């Protein structure tokens, strides 16, 4: 769950960076909305971590900074088209990651599966 929480930190950073980088007002609004959705995911994973007796990663500020830099660079260097392609590929990677984690969870851990 800590890895998933760190992933949400990174997702928030990516969306915020891309919102900062674009000049397209509609796209900026979309990225900011997506970032806000990630805030919900961040809270859910943090709550579950607490329930499991764990803690968030001490490296979260570094994960955020790195992801922000990657998102900003992709958006600035490649423009909106590359930025959107980056989002699509990131989401594909996240889906594959989550699918692999679901296979590792104990069958009775419905709370983690729900998140």
């Amino acid at each position: 769950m800590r890895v998933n929480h760190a992933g949400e930190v990174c997702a928030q950073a990516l969306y915020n960076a891309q919102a900062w980088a674009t000049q397209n007002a509609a796209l900026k609004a979309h990225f900011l909305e997506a970032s806000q959705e990630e805030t919900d995911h961040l809270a859910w994973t943090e709550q579950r971590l607490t329930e499991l007796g764990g803690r968030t990663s001490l490296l979260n500020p570094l994960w955020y900074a790195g992801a922000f830099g990657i998102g900003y660079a992709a958006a600035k260097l490649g423009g909106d088209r590359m930025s959107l392609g980056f989002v699509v590929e990131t989401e594909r990677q996240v889906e594959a990651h989550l699918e692999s984690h679901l296979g590792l969870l104990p069958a009775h851990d419905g709370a983690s599966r729900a998140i």
Side-chain angles (χ1 to χ4, degrees), residues 2-79:
R2 184 179 300 151
V3 170
N4 293 332
H5 183 270
E8 298 300 343
V9 168
C10 292
Q12 202 173 46
L14 287 170
Y15 287 130
N16 284 331
Q18 290 170 304
W20 273 36
T22 187
Q23 298 301 311
N24 181 314
L27 190 54
K28 180 182 291 280
H30 172 74
F31 283 137
L32 291 173
E33 182 179 329
S35 176
Q36 185 57 45
E37 288 175 10
E38 298 303 335
T39 301
D40 293 339
H41 301 166
L42 196 66
W44 299 338
T45 54
E46 186 168 349
Q47 179 183 352
R48 186 64 184 139
L49 260 173
T50 300
E51 292 168 357
L52 294 169
R55 62 168 176 74
T56 60
S57 173
L58 297 175
L59 299 176
N60 278 344
L62 293 175
W63 302 140
Y64 186 94
F68 190 95
I70 291 168
Y72 191 81
K76 276 301 190 188
L77 295 175

Side-chain angles (χ1 to χ4, degrees), residues 64-114:
Y64 186 94
F68 190 95
I70 291 168
Y72 191 81
K76 276 301 190 188
L77 295 175
D80 291 341
R81 183 178 169 150
M82 179 180 275
S83 186
L84 289 170
F86 189 80
V87 169
V88 169
E89 184 55 32
T90 299
E91 290 299 327
R92 284 185 188 143
Q93 295 294 323
V94 167
E95 287 175 17
H97 163 80
L98 291 175
E99 198 61 38
S100 73
H101 274 223
L102 285 172
L104 298 173
L105 284 175
H108 66 279
D109 190 354
S112 293
R113 286 181 187 282

